[in-house]
Amino acid sequence: MKKLRSLLLIAVVLLGLLAEQSFTFAASTQTATISIPVNANLMGDNNAYKNYSLDLPSGIAPSSIDTSSIKYSGSNTVSGAISLQNGTINLKLQGVASTKRLSNVTGYNASYQRKYQSNPSNSIWRYSDGVRWQVNEYDENTDSLIYKNYPAEDNNVPSSRPPRVVVSAAPPQNSSYLKWYNGSAEDVIESKYIVTSTIQPKWVPEESSSYAKEVKFKNGKIIVNYAIPFYVLPSGAIAEQDFENQDADATHPLTGWATGRKYKVTITYYYTADAIVPTYSYSGTVSFKYTPITEPTLDGKVTVVNPSPNPTQFKNADVPVTLRVNGNLMAYTDTSNIEEWVFYAKETGTTDAKIMKDYNKVLSSTQSFTTFKIPKDKIINGMVNGEYDQDYTLTVTVRFSKPVPTSSGTISSLTQTMQATVGVTDKPVPPPSSGGNKRPVAILSVPDSVMAGEEFLVYGADSYDPDGTIVDYNYGTGSAVEKVTGKYGYTWYPLAEAGYKTTISLVVTDNDDLSGSTTAKVEVQAPKPRAAITVLGTKKENRKVTIHNASTDISEHYPMDPSKTRFTIQAISGGAASDIKYSGSLNGVSDKDVVFKKPGTYKATIYVENNVGYSSTAEITFDIVPDEPPVPYISVPSQAYRDPDNGNRAAIVLDDLSFSPDYDYIGHRLWQYRYDSNNDGNFSDESWIILSDGNESRVNFNPDKVGRYEIRLTVTEEFDQPTIDEFVSAADRKSANTDTQSAVEKIVTVYNRAPIVDWSW
């Protein structure tokens, strides 16, 4: 019986020990994930990299994290190493690069909205006879200066009223100091991102001379037509332009009644262009493995309270330092067994430690060290490149009245050591906040309204603590799908919330464990897509025009269903339905290439629908302009002589000066001639003979008969803009010939050379 009692006693003791230590079994390793705040389409090279400091999720101590397991997952690339410091995970990401096309960025002269100005001028000269005037001007067809003679407007001698005419001037365009902006002085676009082929000068009539009739930009020049010497005021009255008297020059000697005048006009302009700029996006997650705390663990944190801000600007004086140390006992609840809290603080590398104690039986304790200072002489002698750092080592210890059992034995205390750095700089820094233990101020920014499924920014980063720092942001977003953490984040509401107003709340907590709160209202609207339609290409008959779906999915999570997109195209005036040519269907496509066979006004409509049944429509009316025929013009010498050394043939050079007024090009040239065989001065009874059918702009004509020859050129355009070949034919290419050109300019007369007489004795 005695032996049995001994065995029972041993069993009871063993069971007691097992029961006492059962909680010390190690917990399994778990994985935690922190989301990177999503940032999309950040423009400019300064957004190529971004630094992130991510707060640890609540309840996870830095000491429980396996630092070798910290990794980033996402589309970005990590630059450098990921570190865990002061309770935050720090990393630097390289943005995912893309491009964005910006339409109609504006180019100004060196600074925002400073436009270019030019002062084109023309000279007119009164001849020495006192009754005629010579007007000098620019001819855009030949890109040269020409002059014309006009009679005076009066009968006086000398004339006092020069002719009333519209003249052309063409100084070169100025693009020096050209600087590009995207709508504001701050949004500067580097010139290397400008699409050169899209640069277009834009005339500003309201800032130019009122008597400028027309301005266009061609041949690198500003071509302006303006009235001289009189122009009409807005009131209808006639006003005379100011002019400057011209001095004599080599071609204009001021003899007799001769005089010269210069008339000027002011033209204001700027530039527009498209830009393709780099954009960068960020997203992803940071994950790590940690072991959940199951045994008593001490977490410590230090805050530099003073100087504030840190680093602080050196004022040629000692710098007082205040350090706040917090100890937080986790996975332990028996406050009655806590004997004391002990706090140590010292300058790193010294042995002179300052000690503070707390005898309260609490699971968390905070103490502030206020007696440190950095002497000014130490700062002056130790400053490097205008910077000085003082490091501090701080320790918090919690001691227990009775030993506490753990998986590795019993413990009588726990200790956590921390580091802090106080910086001093000779550079200006923001002023410190006012003193006093004040509550933090919560500031919450959200849109007034969003669509269901639309991701939007919940922004609390403007919140502040007047006398410390904010250590926690707690958002209440109701039925929002994504949780918002940290200073800001993105979330969205499901379809069920459409038609309702919801409240978003923010509670911020500072390092003194004081809190502040605020709320904001967000109206959740139905996720209706935004329909938009544009017309691209050359809006001219028989050219390819693209009807483009420019609609946007504002609600990312309820996107448009491409199969339900529908286009309609109709003729309004000038054309008919049969003049609208395209292949395939107008349904289920995002772009449709179309050819319009006749000029006129047309309308295109788009219908879009998203995957939850909400739809939208948009329409656009546009004009298809006519394809203008070419303007034929030839240069023909008036006479030529047969050359005995060339088989009695004449050598005649014919030049084509034709052009296309709407920027097509001459694709075919047919040269012909007919000979006045009966020398009656009438060519109508003669037949045309082909001289060249090889699209030559210069032709050598070598007739062997004396007499008159009439030349004709037929030019046919080729499209200089894309078309759809299956809908056009050769007949759609515009043609014209020189039949309307003056007959005198088209006829060449061939003569025999006179004999050479030589007397000999």
Side-chain angles (χ1 to χ4, degrees), residues 54 167 178 314 417 437 447 461 509 605 625 635 688 705:
L54 307 175
V167 297
L178 180 58
F314 183 46
T417 300
N437 193 9
T509 304
T605 305
V625 300
S635 174
W688 287 105
K705 295 179 181 180

Side-chain angles (χ1 to χ4, degrees), residues 117-122 138 145 168-174 215-224 226 265 267 269:
Q117 274 200 342
S118 179
N119 295 109
S121 63
N122 283 87
Y138 172 79
L145 293 175
S168 293
Q173 296 175 31
N174 183 11
V215 172
K216 57 183 175 180
F217 300 85
K218 184 179 178 183
N219 302 327
K221 297 180 173 64
I222 309 165
I223 302 176
V224 54
Y226 63 105
V265 62
I267 299 300
Y269 61 100

Side-chain angles (χ1 to χ4, degrees), residues 118-373:
S118 179
N119 295 109
S121 63
N122 283 87
S123 296
I124 70 171
W125 301 84
R126 186 175 63 201
Y127 282 91
S128 59
D129 61 11
V131 296
R132 292 178 302 140
W133 291 82
Q134 180 192 102
V135 176
N136 301 305
E137 65 174 339
Y138 172 79
D139 184 356
E140 68 175 277
N141 293 325
T142 61
D143 191 21
S144 63
L145 293 175
I146 63 172
Y147 72 90
K148 297 178 182 178
N149 293 326
Y150 294 90
E153 287 281 327
D154 58 3
N155 295 320
N156 298 328
V157 178
S159 166
S160 61
R161 295 182 60 186
R164 287 178 290 179
V165 293
V166 174
V167 297
S168 293
Q173 296 175 31
N174 183 11
S175 59
S176 57
Y177 307 106
L178 180 58
K179 194 172 182 180
W180 296 94
Y181 301 85
N182 187 31
S184 69
E186 294 74 28
D187 198 353
V188 179
I189 304 297
E190 292 186 49
S191 58
K192 64 183 178 181
Y193 300 134
I194 298 298
V195 182
T196 305
S197 61
T198 66
I199 297 176
Q200 296 288 338
K202 298 291 183 181
W203 174 37
V204 186
E206 59 271 18
E207 296 180 25
S208 303
S209 297
S210 59
Y211 41 88
K213 300 296 184 183
E214 180 186 17
V215 172
K216 57 183 175 180
F217 300 85
K218 184 179 178 183
N219 302 327
K221 297 180 173 64
I222 309 165
I223 302 176
V224 54
N225 296 328
Y226 63 105
I228 63 171
F230 305 103
Y231 64 100
V232 181
L233 295 172
S235 63
I238 302 298
E240 184 173 5
Q241 279 195 48
D242 292 332
F243 62 87
E244 299 174 4
N245 288 319
Q246 292 280 87
D247 295 328
D249 57 39
T251 58
H252 299 93
L254 299 183
T255 60
W257 299 108
T259 187
R261 296 181 179 182
K262 178 187 285 187
Y263 291 88
K264 293 194 299 185
V265 62
T266 298
I267 299 300
T268 303
Y269 61 100
Y270 63 99
Y271 291 89
T272 64
D274 290 353
I276 299 178
V277 298
T279 64
Y280 300 94
S281 300
Y282 297 86
S283 62
T285 59
V286 172
S287 61
F288 55 85
K289 294 181 180 179
Y290 72 100
T291 302
I293 299 173
T294 58
E295 295 185 338
T297 301
L298 181 62
D299 185 28
K301 184 175 182 180
V302 59
T303 303
V304 178
V305 178
N306 192 37
S308 179
N310 180 30
T312 188
Q313 185 177 7
F314 183 46
K315 302 293 187 181
N316 198 31
D318 297 345
V319 176
V321 175
T322 299
L323 304 174
R324 181 185 295 129
V325 185
N326 171 257
N328 184 28
L329 187 57
M330 296 183 291
Y332 190 78
T333 59
D334 186 4
T335 56
S336 64
N337 193 36
I338 294 176
E339 179 180 345
E340 64 178 359
W341 291 84
V342 183
F343 298 84
Y344 299 87
K346 66 176 184 176
E347 292 182 3
T348 301
T350 68
T351 57
D352 183 16
K354 304 183 186 300
I355 302 175
M356 300 184 73
K357 291 188 176 185
D358 179 6
Y359 296 102
N360 292 308
K361 296 181 179 296
V362 292
L363 298 178
S364 179
S365 180
T366 300
Q367 297 296 323
S368 294
F369 292 90
T370 60
T371 57
F372 286 109
K373 70 176 180 179

Side-chain angles (χ1 to χ4, degrees), residues 451 526-535 547-555 558-561 564-568 589-590 604-610 614-620:
M451 287 187 182
K528 187 176 181 181
R530 181 176 294 167
I533 186 172
T534 57
V535 179
I547 310 300
H548 172 65
N549 178 7
S551 307
T552 53
D553 275 320
I554 300 175
S555 175
Y558 302 117
M560 290 181 290
D561 183 348
K564 295 181 179 179
T565 300
R566 299 195 302 269
F567 286 117
T568 58
V589 294
S590 60
T605 305
I606 189 172
Y607 170 89
V608 293
E609 183 178 324
N610 62 13
Y614 289 90
S615 63
S616 179
T617 61
E619 64 180 35
I620 186 171

Side-chain angles (χ1 to χ4, degrees), residues 704-722:
D704 58 1
K705 295 179 181 180
V706 173
R708 303 202 311 161
Y709 295 81
E710 182 182 6
I711 309 299
R712 178 165 73 180
L713 173 64
T714 302
V715 290
T716 303
E717 287 184 342
E718 187 54 63
F719 300 159
D720 198 31
Q721 305 90 23

Side-chain angles (χ1 to χ4, degrees), residues 619-661:
E619 64 180 35
I620 186 171
T621 300
F622 54 96
D623 292 325
I624 300 296
V625 300
D627 184 2
E628 297 184 35
V631 178
Y633 191 85
I634 56 177
S635 174
V636 178
S638 61
Q639 61 185 19
Y641 293 89
R642 295 200 302 171
D643 185 358
D645 295 330
N646 189 28
N648 274 331
R649 294 179 176 273
I652 302 171
V653 177
L654 308 176
D655 285 308
D656 175 27
L657 303 178
S658 306
F659 66 95
S660 173

